[in-house]
Amino acid sequence: MRILFLGDIFGRPGRKGIAAKVKVLREELDLDLIIANGENASQGIGLSIKNAQQLLDYGIDLLTSGNHIWKFSNIYSFLKTSDKIVRPANLPEGTRGRGWTSFKVRDEVPVAVINLQGRVFMDPVECPFKCADKILEELDPEIKIILVDFHAEATSEKQSLGRYLDGRVSAMLGTHTHVQTNDARIFENGSGYITDAGMCGPVESCLGLSPNPVIKRFVTGLPQKWKVAGGPIELQGVLLEIDEETGRTVSIETYNSGRMTV
């Protein structure tokens, strides 16, 4: 199975890049499944129900998210009713939405996608390690292809969870920091891994934002008004090939669309 996992979609520029490229990529890369993290797709922070539906209409099969998914309250009902979006599973019991989902690709191959949130340098949540254990115990053993989006800040926490899950999931893909890392690999027990898949958004930016207010915030320590950056964009992520019988990753490589004007 060939899967493209795209990093955090950032604001309108990221959405426009998805609109322009995703359906083309499905053909060019012979993709079976396209997944993207959408938690920053609306104004650079959060995801509205309108933009969520747009991204799905553009050709994304499933949206993952993270700590910013809650900004727009109208997404709550979508999280509750849609099977096309997941939020971190290790949030308190009773939180709206689902933390993982399973479905069939090509109407025959079962796939599960789990969303988890880190605890280091982030708001308190339940333990992602124990939460992953619980979900994996609940999963139908017939599901061999299991993907994890770990939305976390610390590289150490990401690498630790990746190795903790090695051999039990097909791949663990880090999101949240918006900087694509150079460590895509397959661990010794067959799980694919990358610390961060990167960002789909403006290239000349600070994590998607116009640089000057961000720099001024660091220099002065005073609050600033953030603005989504303009200019050329890139779509970043990872391209995976996974054995459908074993669920092991056969190959993983970073994907970068190169600079695009949209």
Side-chain angles (χ1 to χ4, degrees), residues 13 17 29 35-36 48 59-60 106 112 137 168 197 210 223 225 228 253:
L29 300 177
I35 301 171
S48 71
I60 292 174
R106 301 192 301 268
E137 289 174 1
R168 296 194 286 156
S210 294
K225 184 176 181 180
V228 175
E253 59 186 60

Side-chain angles (χ1 to χ4, degrees), residues 84-260:
K84 300 292 186 180
I85 184 170
V86 289
R87 49 80 174 160
N90 54 326
L91 296 177
E93 186 175 348
T95 301
R96 297 192 188 196
R98 65 193 72 195
W100 64 274
T101 188
S102 62
F103 50 92
K104 289 189 176 180
V105 176
R106 301 192 301 268
D107 295 324
E108 58 183 13
V109 184
V111 174
V113 177
I114 302 168
N115 201 175
L116 295 168
Q117 183 174 315
R119 297 196 293 183
V120 180
F121 309 128
M122 297 186 75
D123 293 334
V125 290
E126 301 297 328
C127 175
F129 294 78
K130 293 179 180 178
C131 182
D133 286 339
K134 182 179 179 182
I135 294 171
L136 292 175
E137 289 174 1
E138 295 174 358
L139 278 181
D140 186 333
E142 294 297 316
I143 301 176
K144 302 300 182 183
I145 299 178
I146 305 170
L147 304 174
V148 178
D149 174 348
F150 189 31
H151 199 75
E153 187 80 27
T155 55
S156 58
E157 189 179 22
K158 290 180 177 181
Q159 289 190 347
S160 296
L161 183 64
R163 294 191 178 278
Y164 183 74
L165 297 177
D166 182 24
R168 296 194 286 156
V169 302
S170 302
M172 199 218 82
L173 312 164
T175 59
H176 179 63
T177 63
H178 296 197
V179 177
Q180 188 178 57
T181 55
N182 192 30
D183 61 344
R185 65 187 66 187
I186 301 173
F187 285 146
E188 57 197 44
N189 293 315
S191 294
Y193 173 86
I194 190 169
T195 297
D196 203 283
M199 178 184 72
C200 298
V203 177
E204 301 299 336
S205 68
C206 288
L207 308 185
L209 296 170
S210 294
N212 286 342
V214 180
I215 294 168
K216 192 172 181 179
R217 171 71 174 84
F218 279 115
V219 173
T220 67
L222 299 175
Q224 305 295 321
K225 184 176 181 180
W226 306 134
K227 180 182 178 182
V228 175
I233 68 160
E234 288 180 351
L235 304 185
Q236 299 174 348
V238 289
L239 179 61
L240 301 124
E241 288 192 34
I242 298 176
D243 187 299
E244 296 178 9
E245 297 296 325
T246 65
R248 294 192 172 198
T249 292
V250 176
S251 70
I252 179 171
E253 59 186 60
T254 54
Y255 170 78
N256 190 313
S257 67
R259 293 189 176 209
M260 303 163 40

Side-chain angles (χ1 to χ4, degrees), residues 12-21 231-233 235 259-262:
R12 181 177 296 174
R15 299 197 310 271
K16 290 175 72 174
I18 295 294
K21 196 75 174 173
I233 68 160
L235 304 185
R259 293 189 176 209
M260 303 163 40
T261 301
V262 294

